[in-house]
Amino acid sequence: MSSLNKLENLGIFHRNINRSNQKHQTLTRLQGLPLPKAYAEFLARYPDTCFFDKEIGFVGEEHTPFSSSGLEHLDVLYSSSDDTYSDIIDVRALYLDEIPSYYLVIGEVTGGNLICLNLKTGEVTIWDKTVPDLFSNSIFKVADSFSEFLELLKEVVEGDELESKTKVVSFNPSEELDAMMGDYKKKHNLE
């Protein structure tokens, strides 16, 4: 079963308006970099922003600090949408000053962290916007490619554990966060 066919079994749906081909071409020109083949195929098959009618999760190579045992819950995969916060071009413009230009925000997980595609390497990562540091310190590798990312997607069934292939990621809080944690500990007599 191809990765894209797997999405059908996971309950993917979209509005089927088929007008994002123009946006897809615009996106390619804006990037100056070609999209990875598997991601271009995804956009061609799912021209509108996609959601799932089941709870879908995945465990990436690295865990974000707040994921539940590494499990991330996939909320949306961006494509074309009338909603500014669900349209891949508009979301890109929204975060243009915060992430390198060779990253493309392609989706969102529960909690508002964003799934990004590195257009130079093809890697799929999660950008944890809660990490108060440089962008490079707030991304967590999910998979080597978009195809591998799709293969990680599974329906989350209560009581089921998704297999973890986790790497331990060190987290160095900023001086500001350390100070805030120190103040909290003092206030609540936790030292």
Side-chain angles (χ1 to χ4, degrees):
M1 172 181 355
S2 82
S3 297
L4 292 179
N5 289 340
K6 177 182 180 178
L7 291 173
E8 300 293 331
N9 292 331
L10 293 173
I12 195 168
F13 68 91
H14 61 101
R15 290 179 290 150
N16 198 21
I17 295 174
N18 200 12
R19 63 189 147 76
S20 66
N21 191 32
Q22 180 182 357
K23 284 191 176 190
H24 171 75
Q25 292 171 357
T26 301
L27 180 61
T28 303
R29 285 194 313 270
L30 285 174
Q31 289 296 324
L33 298 169
L35 295 173
K37 181 181 178 188
Y39 190 66
E41 289 172 356
F42 168 81
L43 288 176
R45 185 157 174 186
Y46 300 104
D48 295 299
T49 292
C50 296
F51 302 89
F52 295 86
D53 61 10
K54 300 175 184 176
E55 186 174 351
I56 304 302
F58 62 91
V59 176
E61 285 189 33
E62 299 174 346
H63 294 180
T64 61
F66 300 107
S67 63
S68 172
S69 300
L71 177 63
E72 298 285 355
H73 294 266
L74 179 61
D75 288 339
V76 63
L77 289 172
Y78 298 134
S79 199
S80 179
S81 176
D82 294 332
D83 176 14
T84 297
Y85 298 103
S86 295
D87 180 77
I88 195 165
I89 299 290
D90 293 336
V91 170
R92 175 173 172 65
L94 183 66
Y95 294 107
L96 198 56
D97 294 336
E98 297 179 59
I99 64 174
S101 62
Y102 54 89
Y103 274 90
L104 177 63
V105 178
I106 63 169
E108 187 173 324
V109 294
T110 301
N113 288 331
L114 300 172
I115 303 168
C116 299
L117 178 63
N118 182 324
L119 296 174
K120 286 185 176 179
T121 66
E123 284 184 351
V124 176
T125 60
I126 291 180
W127 173 31
D128 186 338
K129 299 183 301 181
T130 65
V131 176
D133 212 342
L134 299 172
F135 176 79
S136 61
N137 294 333
S138 62
I139 56 171
F140 298 85
K141 184 177 177 181
V142 174
D144 286 327
S145 68
F146 186 72
S147 294
E148 287 182 22
F149 166 69
L150 294 180
E151 289 303 318
L152 293 174
L153 300 181
K154 307 264 188 267
E155 181 178 1
V156 177
V157 179
E158 192 172 327
D160 237 358
E161 292 291 324
L162 292 178
E163 184 180 337
S164 175
K165 297 178 188 175
T166 305
K167 292 181 182 178
V168 176
V169 177
S170 64
F171 173 68
N172 298 318
S174 66
E175 290 179 17
E176 181 181 44
L177 183 58
D178 273 342
M180 289 170 51
M181 289 174 19
D183 291 344
Y184 179 84
K185 287 178 180 179
K186 286 179 187 174
K187 181 178 179 181
H188 297 284
N189 298 318
L190 298 174
E191 292 189 272

